[in-house]
Every structure is written in structure tokens, then in C-alpha cells.
Amino acid sequence: MIITIVGGGSTFTPGIVKSIAQRAKELELDEIRLFDIDKERQDKVAVVVEWILREDVKADVKLTVTNDVEEAYTDATFIFAQMRVGKYEMREQDEKIPLKYGCVGQETCGCGGMAYGLRTINPMIKLIDDVEKYAKKDHWILNRYYS
């Protein structure tokens, strides 16, 4: 089985990979793919992920690190989406702008959550379209909402 983590450059990725890798045999896991549009950030996180797989968990799982949509999704069974569109710079705006207007400055609900959600619609639609094109026909998309 192949699991693709979208937003592979996230600092949450190493923990997610460790949790998955500890169950690699049970999951019949062959490969983990990290996919992110920010190559520089993803490459830094990939060093930690590689260490977790090889030294910490000692999992016999292939690791692929890519910025290519086709490579990321081809034959994947599970696609784990954890994208933060606009990164932390936009999260900060999601929290601060509502405060100016007397609203709750929280990025997971209210005005900030609405802005984050609206900003994520088009990239999520693209993800779904790309996954439909390349992944296994019985794939699952799992979405992790950031907080």
C-alpha cells in the first residue's frame, strides 16, 4: 500500500509518519510519499522523516519525496491531506483581522476559520481532481484540519 502525505513539508509530518511506520507491517505499507509545493521546506522535513523510518522505527518502507503531482498520487491508496494554504503568515492574518473588528481571533472557527476554509477550497478541489486522475480507484482522501 502507498500513503501520500500532502503538505509533506509540515512540521507535523514526522509525527504522522512515525505513527504510520510503527504499524507498517499491519498496514502492509510499501511506501510513504511526501508531497508539497514548498520544496525547500519539504526537503528539510524529509531528513527527519528519513531518520525516523531508518533509525528510530527501522521500518522497511520506501520514502519518496516529491513536488510532482503524478509521482505523488500514482497508485496511492490513502491520501492524507494536511495543507495549510498561505502557511503561517496567513494564519496570523486569520487571527488578527477579526480582532480589529471585535470578533474572535481564532483560525479554526468564526471569521478566521471562514477565511482559511475559503482559501483552501480551490487547492482542495485540485487535489481531488489530481487524485481521481492518478490514484487507485478505491482510494481514500483523509483531511487533517490544522489547528
Side-chain angles (χ1 to χ4, degrees):
M1 173 179 55
I2 299 169
I3 296 176
T4 299
I5 300 175
V6 180
S10 167
T11 55
F12 289 102
T13 299
I16 293 165
V17 168
K18 183 172 181 173
S19 294
I20 293 168
Q22 288 173 329
R23 293 159 186 84
K25 285 186 179 25
E26 176 186 341
L27 295 171
E28 298 179 13
L29 182 63
D30 300 307
E31 181 178 1
I32 294 175
R33 295 180 185 159
L34 305 183
F35 172 67
D36 204 302
I37 60 172
D38 186 336
K39 181 178 175 1
E40 182 180 348
R41 182 176 162 120
Q42 180 171 252
D43 286 347
K44 290 175 184 175
V45 170
V47 172
V48 178
V49 169
E50 183 75 34
W51 182 86
I52 288 168
L53 289 173
R54 306 300 164 233
E55 303 299 325
D56 186 24
V57 179
K58 299 186 184 339
D60 185 26
V61 174
K62 179 181 176 183
L63 176 65
T64 299
V65 181
T66 186
N67 303 102
D68 179 74
V69 169
E70 185 173 355
E71 183 177 24
Y73 300 134
T74 297
D75 296 326
T77 303
F78 288 93
I79 296 81
F80 191 91
Q82 61 162 357
M83 65 176 85
R84 174 175 288 286
V85 179
K87 300 182 186 168
Y88 288 108
E89 293 82 10
M90 289 308 296
R91 176 184 178 174
E92 182 179 358
Q93 296 303 308
D94 291 343
E95 294 176 345
K96 288 183 175 177
I97 291 171
L99 292 174
K100 289 182 188 177
Y101 300 97
C103 297
V104 175
Q106 217 289 339
E107 57 95 27
T108 59
C109 60
C111 300
M114 178 67 88
Y116 173 38
L118 290 171
R119 190 170 53 253
T120 306
I121 291 171
N122 284 335
M124 196 65 182
I125 290 170
K126 179 170 180 358
L127 178 149
I128 292 166
D129 289 344
D130 291 339
V131 167
E132 286 290 322
K133 184 174 181 181
Y134 298 112
K136 289 188 125 187
K137 294 302 173 206
D138 62 346
H139 68 269
W140 283 76
I141 298 174
L142 308 170
N143 187 48
R144 178 189 184 278
Y145 182 79
Y146 268 96
S147 59

